[in-house]
Amino acid sequence: MSQDEVIEVIKQSGLRGRGGAGFPTGKKWEFTKASKDSQKYVVCNADEGDPGAFMDRSILEGDPHCVLEAMAIAAYAIGANKGYIYVRAEYPIAVKRLKIAIRQAEDYGILGENIFDTDFNFDIEIRLGAGAFVCGEETALLESIEGKRGQPRVKPPYPAQSGLWGKPTLINNVETYANISQIILKGSEWFSSIGTETSKGTKVFALGGNVNNIGLVEVPMGTTLREIVYDIGGGIPNGRDFKAAQTGGPSGGCIPKEHLDTPIDYESLKQIGSMMGSGGLIVMDDTKCMVCLAKFYLEFTVSESCGKCTPCRIGTKRMLEILERLCAGEGSELDIYKLEKLAANIQKSSICGLGQSAPNPVISTLKYFREEFRQHAIQKECKALECKAMSKITINEEKCKGCGLCQKHCPVNAIEGTGREIRMINQDKCIKCGTCLTNCPFHAIGN
Amino acid sequence: MKKSLDEIHKIRIEKKKELDLRTNINSNTVEKHILVCHGTGCTSSKSEEILENFKNIIKEKNIQNVRVIKTGCFGLCAKGPIVIIRPEDTFYAMVTPDDCEEIINTHIIEGKIVERLLCKDIDREKGKKIR
């Protein structure tokens, strides 16, 4: 196959970047090939930082050769002779196995000089990340490989024109590479026969949270969230109700119950205010507070913001302060308005993907659970009982059977009543830990 | 050490035979394969130790035709470490290094399934344990 033929097959297959943004991979290869330069680079983004996600890690640990092979194919297609895998240092087993795989490939002559007696040379080096989330952003990753501080560059120019040390650089995610060899082997038609109109192939998700079967799932694009949560995931534990699922981690958004039947592909998720992301999929049941959820992700982005641009550095901090106020029962309706304003501004004015997507969890929770934000701001109450500062736990007299289980589990003896009597909670003693709530077999405790 | 394209093809064909039992459950090989998951979740819950234990016990007892194989992720990470025995396709979950002896004695030598380690509640349609 010629270089152009390889690129054509990838283009025809309809493969799109699995790192989250979903840029067509073939086009990226084409742009990088079109950039004229004597030196080009191929980079693998293995800086998987989305909390709770470990798809890339699993690929690197389970089949590192598929990534090496794909990088070699990519290098051949765009005319590069040097590759870097940027992998986080928190993945020691992945690094160890990658090193073994690279050595094996070099021994067999699959990597190195004059591969299979052609004039194609390619070798791969590993670069370790030091734990910064922002280094998963492609230009920050390049800075980090160059030995500089991991901060994003202003785009354009894109890495395809000016990447590593100013040279044209192709950068793809681990999962994207993992698809390449199979596409070359089985053909673009095979690949494009899987999935939806605009999103081809399969996607791996790290399914976690309030779901029975926690682990990795690989599904064809277009599979609905309901199938993932209820069929593959085995439903929600303890007879609870599905409330929402967060895709894309701190850059993504939540998907509420009414969108359970949305097919999972790049466009559909974008349309409902979430995003594909790298593949983290956290399921939440009805005991989760959506304001707390937004706060959790904002805490993450605040601590991971590199600080280069003001909207992200200061804006996300201010947003977090508002969310903290709401959770503490000190917020007001004006705060919700301020949150929305800030979110829109940060989205528009941040320089990189981290900042531009940081408000997403807030925007999407506000979109679908606005009432919950209002309850926090106006009535000062958290129906999910997660915001301890303002929760008041009570027992529903109609549902209580007087079994006394709550009493047995209460750590501060705040529950009163004996025998088969309906139990009462002494609000002065109650520390709102929620233990009674999770132990009540009749779901009689709430607020 | 450097191999030509032909030599690599030959290695591929040869190694594929060893994989027969993994891809074809009705394979007529006399071998048994003990697959130990070495994915992310299972490794962090001691699957490396489990693999070592299996190897040591098999060596100690001089058992023939059983291979212990390190595999990639099976997907059910919360139920790890996962051990699958082929050709029966028995799916053991949450195996500990101490269970290895029992699996070898009961399953491999006596040919009975270790019920307590079977993965429950996965196969929804059949409504029974996977084996």
Side-chain angles (χ1 to χ4, degrees):
Chain A
M1 284 171 96
S2 71
Q3 290 172 290
D4 289 325
E5 278 167 356
V6 174
I7 292 176
E8 194 53 32
V9 169
I10 301 302
K11 268 174 81 178
Q12 286 300 322
S13 74
L15 174 67
R16 294 170 67 176
R18 296 290 191 253
F23 191 81
T25 306
K27 267 196 189 153
K28 211 182 215 179
W29 289 27
E30 196 176 34
F31 292 151
T32 324
K33 180 179 181 276
S35 298
K36 295 268 171 281
D37 210 308
S38 55
Q39 175 71 56
K40 292 181 189 177
Y41 296 101
V42 168
V43 174
C44 172
N45 183 349
D47 190 62
E48 187 177 41
D50 175 358
F54 57 106
M55 306 77 48
D56 295 349
R57 179 179 191 172
S58 229
I59 293 170
L60 293 174
E61 291 177 358
D63 190 3
H65 279 293
C66 76
V67 176
L68 303 185
E69 191 180 4
M71 285 178 73
I73 294 170
Y76 168 75
I78 64 155
N81 61 16
K82 177 99 198 149
Y84 289 97
I85 300 177
Y86 188 87
V87 53
R88 45 193 310 210
E90 292 94 328
Y91 286 178
I93 303 168
V95 174
K96 192 176 124 197
R97 293 183 188 169
L98 263 175
K99 280 185 178 160
I100 295 172
I102 291 175
R103 208 183 51 227
Q104 286 170 337
E106 281 168 351
D107 281 351
Y108 275 32
I110 299 168
L111 291 177
E113 286 185 7
N114 300 104
I115 295 172
F116 299 137
D117 299 321
T118 60
D119 54 5
F120 172 55
N121 308 323
F122 184 58
D123 66 84
I124 294 177
E125 266 184 58
I126 295 175
R127 285 285 182 274
L128 296 188
F133 178 67
V134 72
C135 287
E137 198 281 333
E138 53 183 12
T139 56
L141 185 150
L142 297 177
E143 289 279 302
S144 183
I145 292 182
E146 288 178 15
K148 299 177 192 149
R149 179 181 286 211
Q151 286 188 327
R153 301 172 183 168
V154 178
K155 290 191 276 192
Y158 290 93
Q161 291 115 34
S162 169
L164 211 48
W165 293 290
K167 301 292 179 189
T169 303
L170 175 76
I171 172 160
N172 281 132
N173 168 270
V174 173
E175 208 187 322
T176 315
Y177 281 126
N179 283 301
I180 300 291
S181 314
Q182 294 304 318
I183 294 173
I184 300 288
L185 275 175
K186 298 182 181 168
S188 54
E189 276 165 33
W190 164 78
F191 190 79
S192 60
S193 69
I194 309 166
T196 65
E197 193 59 39
T198 52
S199 309
K200 302 295 185 191
T202 62
K203 177 82 192 87
V204 183
F205 288 99
L207 190 59
N210 301 116
V211 62
N212 278 316
N213 301 328
I214 291 171
L216 294 179
V217 298
E218 182 175 7
V219 291
M221 292 282 188
T223 307
T224 63
L225 185 61
R226 186 186 298 278
E227 286 172 280
I228 297 179
V229 174
Y230 286 94
D231 292 355
I232 305 170
I236 317 288
N238 307 322
R240 288 270 164 199
D241 255 351
F242 174 89
K243 183 167 185 178
Q246 176 86 11
T247 60
S251 314
C254 70
I255 304 174
K257 208 173 177 176
E258 61 261 34
H259 288 305
L260 259 175
D261 290 310
T262 306
I264 304 242
D265 63 42
Y266 293 101
E267 274 71 30
S268 308
L269 286 184
K270 217 174 193 169
Q271 213 169 16
I272 59 169
S274 181
M275 70 182 263
M276 180 71 84
S278 57
L281 182 54
I282 313 279
V283 180
M284 286 157 287
D285 67 14
D286 53 4
T287 62
K288 291 284 167 296
C289 161
M290 299 318 274
V291 185
C292 287
L293 173 84
K295 191 179 79 160
F296 169 82
Y297 283 116
L298 248 286
E299 276 167 6
F300 185 85
T301 30
V302 165
S303 68
E304 292 295 344
S305 170
C306 77
K308 183 168 177 170
C309 69
T310 322
C312 177
R313 182 182 68 241
I314 299 172
T316 56
K317 175 83 180 149
R318 292 287 101 89
M319 278 177 87
L320 177 62
E321 284 164 2
I322 296 175
L323 289 166
E324 280 170 345
R325 270 209 300 276
L326 286 170
C327 285
E330 293 158 6
S332 68
E333 218 181 343
L334 187 67
D335 279 335
I336 300 177
Y337 169 76
K338 278 188 191 161
L339 263 183
E340 273 180 323
K341 270 286 234 208
L342 260 171
N345 281 332
I346 294 169
Q347 256 186 339
K348 266 186 271 173
S349 52
S350 296
I351 68 164
C352 86
L354 190 151
Q356 286 157 10
S357 62
N360 285 358
V362 176
I363 294 172
S364 69
T365 44
L366 261 175
K367 182 172 171 191
Y368 294 114
F369 298 96
R370 198 180 187 87
E371 202 38 46
E372 215 168 303
F373 276 80
R374 287 173 57 87
Q375 279 161 2
H376 280 74
I378 301 162
Q379 285 99 334
K380 316 276 183 232
E381 91 183 331
C382 172
K383 284 245 155 102
L385 301 180
E386 229 188 307
C387 299
K388 299 217 161 83
M390 53 188 164
S391 67
K392 184 181 168 197
I393 301 177
T394 52
I395 296 176
N396 182 330
E397 290 177 21
E398 281 167 25
K399 286 187 182 170
C400 179
K401 302 264 191 294
C403 71
L405 262 180
C406 51
Q407 214 162 15
K408 232 180 238 165
H409 284 98
C410 179
V412 291
N413 295 323
I415 297 172
E416 291 161 359
T418 51
R420 303 297 288 181
E421 271 173 25
I422 288 166
R423 298 301 194 271
M424 295 278 283
I425 297 176
N426 182 336
Q427 296 296 340
D428 295 335
K429 282 189 185 172
C430 176
I431 55 164
K432 297 155 186 169
C433 66
T435 309
C436 53
L437 196 91
T438 46
N439 281 295
C440 178
F442 309 106
H443 302 307
I445 306 178
N447 72 342
Chain B
M1 249 322 243
K2 214 172 161 179
K3 301 270 192 286
S4 72
L5 209 49
D6 283 341
E7 283 170 310
I8 285 179
H9 272 301
K10 264 181 214 151
I11 296 175
R12 183 184 156 91
I13 292 164
E14 250 166 61
K15 289 284 168 190
K16 252 200 154 159
K17 282 183 205 150
E18 291 181 25
L19 281 173
D20 191 37
L21 191 51
R22 304 267 296 277
T23 48
N24 171 22
I25 202 92
N26 299 318
S27 158
N28 49 18
T29 156
V30 286
E31 271 195 341
K32 265 191 202 300
H33 287 179
I34 302 178
L35 312 178
V36 184
C37 177
H38 270 54
T40 311
C42 293
T43 308
S44 60
S45 38
K46 296 188 180 167
S47 72
E48 278 172 325
E49 211 176 304
I50 292 172
L51 185 99
E52 279 311 303
N53 277 5
F54 274 133
K55 282 189 173 161
N56 289 338
I57 298 169
I58 284 169
K59 211 170 157 192
E60 224 172 78
K61 302 197 183 232
N62 197 19
I63 301 171
Q64 302 298 319
N65 291 330
V66 172
R67 292 212 302 163
V68 187
I69 298 164
K70 193 194 269 192
T71 75
C73 181
F74 287 109
L76 294 160
C77 307
K79 301 222 166 17
I82 284 162
V83 171
I84 292 179
I85 302 185
R86 289 220 152 189
E88 298 91 320
D89 218 15
T90 316
F91 197 109
Y92 292 128
M94 292 186 158
V95 178
T96 66
D98 296 336
D99 295 330
C100 296
E101 185 107 33
E102 189 181 347
I103 292 177
I104 295 284
N105 284 338
T106 314
H107 191 125
I108 303 293
I109 299 179
E110 292 176 35
K112 286 186 224 152
I113 279 161
V114 186
E115 291 283 340
R116 76 181 170 88
L117 293 172
L118 273 185
C119 182
K120 295 150 204 145
D121 69 54
I122 297 292
D123 199 347
R124 220 167 29 92
E125 278 156 40
K126 289 178 194 152
K128 60 178 185 188
K129 297 168 181 178
I130 285 184
R131 59 172 58 175

